[in-house]
Amino acid sequence: MNKTGAHGFKGWASVISGVICALLVSAMAATTARAALPAEDSEAWSLRKEAGNIRIYTTEQADSSFQAFKAEAVLNVPIEAIMAVMSNPKSCVEWVLNCSESYGVGKNDFTDRYAYSVNDMPWPVTDRDYVLHIRTQGDEASGEIVMKMGATPGKRAENSSRVRVDRSDTLYRFTPKNGKTRMIWLQHTDPNGALPGWLVNSLLVDIPISSMEELERVAGQDRYQGFQLIYDQNGQLTGIKKPTDI
């Protein structure tokens, strides 16, 4: 990949953003043991920034020099449109900050799947890549949908031109709210290589702010409208239907 300094400091921030994609919330599995994500209601969260209706919190993470973040916002799009974006294994490049490549890996079941993604880094830093195990659960009665994602580095052969991230955990919680969607995003990523924790931590708020703003914009596009969530007889989410399938 031809790199220039034009990416600036946003490129540094992207190393934490493993996405999404859609996408994509998990067993929190990795080859090395690590602390779980902090609880959503933990008192350890410290408010770092507010941008419009987006609030960003951070906290220290045990056994890591990189902080975890929590982002909260109400997105002006229905939950069905959000999940339509998330179900697209290539949508990471549409909304996650500096995600330059993404696609599904192996079997693509809606509730239990894998995705590969690449974060474009500024020269001279090597691009980071991820293989994420994505698990999705939803309850018809409450309307709430939770996606959990964990790095599984051994799922796909490594690329010599990229650094494989083996410690990344993400949780998305989506709740319908009068035609809009409340989103809570928790994430902690510990990138491999010589990246200073103080620098990444100082830029951590850029990732969810930029990405959530883009997710709202992308989910509002016509091609993500008209989808329908599918539930089984027990009211558990099993998939999503395209408008042409309904």
Side-chain angles (χ1 to χ4, degrees):
M1 182 178 296
N2 182 27
K3 297 170 179 251
T4 69
H7 293 291
F9 285 112
K10 282 191 176 181
W12 284 92
S14 69
V15 70
I16 299 297
S17 67
V19 158
I20 294 79
C21 34
L23 309 177
L24 354 62
V25 321
S26 97
M28 305 295 187
T31 57
T32 56
R34 60 185 183 270
L37 283 170
E40 295 173 44
D41 59 355
S42 170
E43 294 183 356
W45 293 111
S46 177
L47 181 64
R48 282 277 300 276
K49 188 172 182 178
E50 293 186 60
N53 71 334
I54 303 174
R55 290 188 174 188
I56 309 299
Y57 303 81
T58 60
T59 186
E60 301 299 323
Q61 184 74 343
D63 193 31
S64 175
S65 60
F66 300 93
Q67 295 176 330
F69 72 74
K70 177 176 72 168
E72 298 179 346
V74 176
L75 306 182
N76 191 26
V77 283
I79 195 169
E80 292 84 1
I82 295 287
M83 295 312 300
V85 176
M86 294 294 174
S87 68
N88 177 3
K90 297 182 178 181
S91 67
C92 173
V93 300
E94 297 184 88
W95 69 278
V96 177
L97 181 64
N98 288 327
C99 177
S100 61
E101 181 181 345
S102 66
Y103 53 82
V105 175
K107 181 183 177 181
N108 273 307
D109 181 82
F110 178 81
T111 60
D112 192 344
R113 54 198 167 97
Y114 292 87
Y116 174 79
S117 65
V118 178
N119 285 140
D120 187 23
M121 301 297 291
W123 182 89
V125 181
T126 304
D127 290 348
R128 261 59 178 177
D129 69 352
Y130 305 73
V131 181
L132 296 174
H133 187 190
I134 306 170
R135 292 185 175 180
T136 304
Q137 294 180 313
D139 179 71
E140 187 174 19
S142 67
E144 184 176 271
I145 298 173
V146 176
M147 299 180 68
K148 295 180 181 179
M149 293 175 276
T152 55
K155 185 68 176 179
R156 186 179 185 276
E158 295 188 22
N159 186 318
S160 60
S161 65
R162 295 163 179 167
V163 174
R164 176 63 48 83
V165 173
D166 59 12
R167 298 181 64 181
S168 183
D169 295 309
T170 301
L171 181 146
Y172 298 144
R173 187 181 303 279
F174 303 105
T175 308
K177 187 178 179 68
N178 300 321
K180 301 179 182 181
T181 305
R182 176 173 172 77
M183 178 179 182
I184 298 177
W185 175 0
L186 277 67
Q187 183 165 315
H188 176 256
T189 297
D190 199 337
N192 289 329
L195 290 171
W198 66 266
L199 176 60
V200 176
N201 291 338
S202 71
L203 300 169
L204 202 59
V205 296
D206 294 337
I207 299 161
I209 289 175
S210 174
S211 299
M212 293 172 89
E213 289 174 346
E214 280 300 290
L215 177 58
E216 183 179 61
R217 183 189 66 80
V218 170
Q221 295 176 350
D222 290 343
R223 63 198 181 99
Y224 287 120
Q225 306 311 303
F227 282 75
Q228 178 179 310
L229 300 174
I230 307 169
Y231 295 90
D232 63 18
Q233 60 183 5
N234 297 316
Q236 298 304 298
L237 184 65
T238 61
I240 188 169
K241 288 183 180 179
K242 297 180 180 179
T244 54
D245 298 332
I246 298 174

